[in-house]
């Protein structure tokens, strides 16, 4: 067994898109950074998800030179409707003087663009965290990597390891829904339009991706199993039915499903530790906020660390200020997303009627539509 010792300013646990964003945002600054991941480098290449990225996220990724424009498909309109009910609304990028409301990119293309900027010396992959010991002066990590033991002392440990397990500090609400994801080919060109359709089982999103759609089909867990088993034609017929026959599909690939729950950490800072991205809050994908919010966590943490006069990356005053800066964005995004899921995932007739009125109001009242659209485009900057 070989032993390695290392002392850094910031150790980031989790080299997903949020952890990598933080590592890149800190690069070139005064802090020595170490990025640690449990999986081998590039394990993200098999991830089946596609993500809707807000216009504001594109700007951050461009600033980090990690925006792969060839992998991004623009969303120019979003059509929102409900199954078996009236009311629909259309949100159009041209109303906001923007080239796009947002972009769709495969998780793996996003991760590859970030990874390509990391270089070779920052990441310790294939590494499991055995212990975290924190005191007033530093946080110590004990890691196992094949037959090596690593002892890293860091002034600050950032948790970016994704969805947390059950922990006293994590509030959990299980939606008892799964998101079935796939890439489906439309019979007619999508024209950069995204579709969000609310059904009694849960929301369905179709996001333009290359010349296909990325599908997120939310259903109860037992239906997810059934949909995964259906042959291609039967699956496409089911989808066609959900859109009341308005959209035709010719092919489907890479079906996979994810269980959905809201998991939100009450405190995102404790001593010399901070939680960001999904490790801080894991949201339902209905509003496409999860990564966009995590990106803002990473960006604001980097700004805090680079902007403080102290050379201690774990400076308590700076971390407390960071925690305060994230309150509105985190709570606002979680409440917005959770509210949409609860109001739209049921089949009670009065609620169906109220949803129809809501969609009609969005269509008829431009200020209300702008309120929703601005949150999709800008996230935090749009909160009052
Ligand atoms: C179906 C679906 C659709 C979605 N659609 C959207 C969307 O349209 N827009 C959007 O913004 N968001 C969307 N999201 C949410 C988005 O995927 C997440 O918010 C985002 O992936 C969070 O990134 P992260 O880096 O925090 O965590 P992750 O992507 O989970 O990465 C965590 C990393 O930590 C590593 N890790 C895990 N445990 C350890 C450990 N113990 N030690 C070391 N490393 C560890 C993992 O290997 C991984 O590399 C969607 C999610 C789902 C499930």
């Amino acid at each position: 067994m070989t032993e390695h010792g290392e002392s850094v300013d910031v150790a980031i646990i989790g080299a997903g898109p949020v952890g990598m964003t933080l590592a890149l945002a800190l690069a070139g600054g005064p802090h020595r950074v170490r990025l640690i991941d449990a999986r081998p480098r590039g394990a993200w290449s098999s991830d089946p998800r596609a993500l809707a990225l807000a216009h504001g996220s594109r700007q951050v990724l461009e600033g980090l030179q990690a925006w792969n424009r060839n992998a991004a498909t623009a969303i120019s309109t979003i059509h929102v409707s409900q199954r078996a009910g009236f009311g629909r609304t259309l949100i159009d990028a041209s109303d906001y003087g923007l080239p796009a409301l947002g972009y769709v990119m495969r998780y793996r293309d996003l991760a590859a663009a970030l990874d390509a900027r990391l270089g070779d010396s920052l990441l310790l992959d294939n590494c499991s965290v055995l212990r975290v010991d924190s005191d007033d002066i530093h946080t110590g990590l004990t890691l196992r990597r094949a037959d090596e033991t690593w002892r890293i002392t860091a002034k600050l440990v950032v948790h970016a390891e994704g969805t947390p397990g059950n922990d006293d500090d994590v509030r959990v609400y299980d939606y008892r829904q799964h998101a079935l994801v796939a890439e489906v080919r439309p019979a007619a060109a999508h024209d950069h339009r995204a579709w969000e359709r609310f059904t009694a089982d849960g929301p369905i999103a179709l996001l333009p991706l290359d010349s296909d759609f990325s599908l997120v089909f939310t259903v109860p867990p037992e239906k997810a199993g059934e949909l995964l088993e259906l042959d291609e034609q039967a699956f496409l017929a089911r989808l066609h039915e959900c859109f009341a026959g308005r959209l035709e599909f010719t092919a489907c690939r890479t079906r996979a499903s994810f269980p959905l729950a809201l998991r939100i950490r009450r405190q995102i800072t404790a001593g010399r530790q901070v939680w960001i991205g999904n490790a801080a809050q894991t949201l339902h994908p209905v509003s496409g906020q999860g990564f966009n919010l995590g990106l803002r966590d990473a960006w604001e943490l980097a700004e805090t660390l680079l902007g403080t006069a102290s050379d201690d990356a774990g400076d308590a005053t700076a971390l407390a200020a960071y925690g305060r800066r994230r309150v509105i964005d985190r709570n606002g995004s979680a409440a917005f997303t959770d509210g949409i899921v609860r109001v739209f995932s049921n089949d009670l007739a009065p609620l169906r009627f109220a949803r129809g009125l809501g969609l009609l109001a969005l269509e008829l009242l431009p200020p209300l539509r702008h309120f929703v659209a601005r949150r999709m485009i800008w996230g935090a900057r749009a909160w009052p």
Side-chain angles (χ1 to χ4, degrees):
M1 180 77 67
T2 325
E3 292 241 356
H4 298 271
E6 189 174 86
S7 175
V8 298
D9 294 296
V10 183
I12 306 166
I13 305 177
V18 171
M20 287 196 276
T21 298
L22 177 64
L24 288 179
L26 292 174
H31 304 298
R32 288 161 301 158
V33 177
R34 176 56 92 184
L35 184 59
I36 296 152
D37 202 279
R39 297 185 300 167
R41 188 169 193 170
W44 31 256
S45 63
S46 57
D47 196 291
R49 266 172 285 189
L51 308 179
L53 304 177
H55 187 73
S57 297
R58 172 189 170 154
Q59 292 177 323
V60 170
L61 292 165
E62 276 177 342
L64 297 172
Q65 296 176 8
W67 177 250
N68 179 352
R69 71 187 163 94
N70 295 327
T73 306
I75 303 174
S76 48
T77 53
I78 305 179
H79 183 285
V80 188
S81 63
Q82 64 168 331
R83 192 177 184 189
F86 69 98
R88 70 101 168 111
T89 194
L90 200 62
I91 300 174
D92 196 318
S94 60
D95 291 343
Y96 304 92
L98 289 170
L101 288 165
Y103 302 85
V104 186
M105 191 180 281
R106 292 182 183 88
Y107 180 103
R108 58 177 185 264
D109 290 332
L110 170 70
L114 289 161
D115 180 87
R117 300 283 307 144
L118 281 181
D120 288 331
S121 55
L122 200 63
L123 176 68
L124 213 51
D125 68 348
N126 257 324
C127 215
S128 44
V129 179
L130 302 181
R131 281 181 66 139
V132 181
D133 300 296
S134 203
D135 62 30
D136 291 349
I137 316 290
H138 62 248
T139 296
L141 297 177
T142 308
L143 313 171
R144 170 69 46 78
R145 189 180 197 232
D147 61 353
E148 300 169 355
T149 302
W150 283 69
R151 296 191 202 285
I152 297 182
T153 56
K155 291 188 180 148
L156 177 67
V157 167
V158 181
H159 293 268
E161 65 267 55
T163 303
N166 293 336
D167 171 325
D168 285 349
D169 200 46
V170 179
R171 183 165 66 83
V172 181
Y173 179 80
D174 185 349
Y175 291 113
R176 288 188 285 282
Q177 290 179 337
H178 279 210
L180 188 144
V181 300
E183 290 183 16
V184 293
R185 174 139 304 175
H190 56 54
D191 213 13
H192 295 270
R193 171 168 295 186
W195 299 77
E196 184 93 43
R197 178 108 169 131
F198 293 101
T199 78
D201 281 342
I204 307 178
L206 284 170
L207 306 170
L209 179 64
D210 301 335
S211 50
D212 292 343
F213 278 120
S214 159
L215 166 70
V216 184
F217 198 156
T218 317
V219 285
E222 57 286 0
K223 277 203 189 166
E226 185 203 325
L227 288 171
L228 284 171
E229 295 294 312
L230 286 180
D231 69 44
E232 188 181 14
Q233 287 314 314
F235 179 75
L236 295 177
R238 188 74 75 85
L239 191 58
H240 176 69
E241 223 176 85
C242 289
F243 281 87
R246 285 184 73 174
L247 296 173
E248 297 269 1
F249 307 95
T250 60
C252 156
R253 59 198 162 97
T254 54
R255 265 180 275 171
S257 92
F258 294 79
L260 300 178
L262 168 70
R263 287 175 180 267
I264 187 154
R265 196 168 278 283
R266 292 183 176 87
Q267 297 293 333
I268 54 166
T269 62
R272 290 179 172 273
Q273 301 183 70
V274 179
W275 285 261
I276 63 171
N278 267 31
Q281 64 276 315
T282 299
L283 310 184
H284 192 292
V286 61
S287 59
Q289 298 274 324
F291 170 69
N292 293 297
L293 180 60
L295 183 86
R296 299 195 292 271
D297 288 344
W299 187 252
E300 287 208 14
L301 182 57
E303 276 190 344
T304 304
L305 296 179
L306 296 173
T308 172
S310 165
D311 61 359
D312 178 359
D315 180 73
T317 312
L319 293 181
Y322 168 76
R324 284 194 300 275
R325 280 174 72 182
R326 297 305 300 143
V327 169
I328 293 179
D329 193 15
R330 289 183 76 224
N331 293 345
S333 302
F336 179 69
T337 302
D338 188 54
I340 294 179
V341 183
R342 289 177 194 241
V343 171
F344 283 95
S345 300
N346 60 69
D347 202 23
L348 300 173
L351 265 181
R352 204 183 320 135
F353 184 71
R355 284 195 297 259
L357 287 181
L359 290 173
L360 204 62
L362 278 180
E363 183 58 18
L364 298 178
L365 299 173
L368 197 56
R369 197 165 64 247
H370 297 340
F371 176 87
V372 173
R374 289 196 170 283
R375 268 134 206 89
M376 289 182 177
I377 299 166
W378 298 114
R381 272 186 276 166
W383 293 108

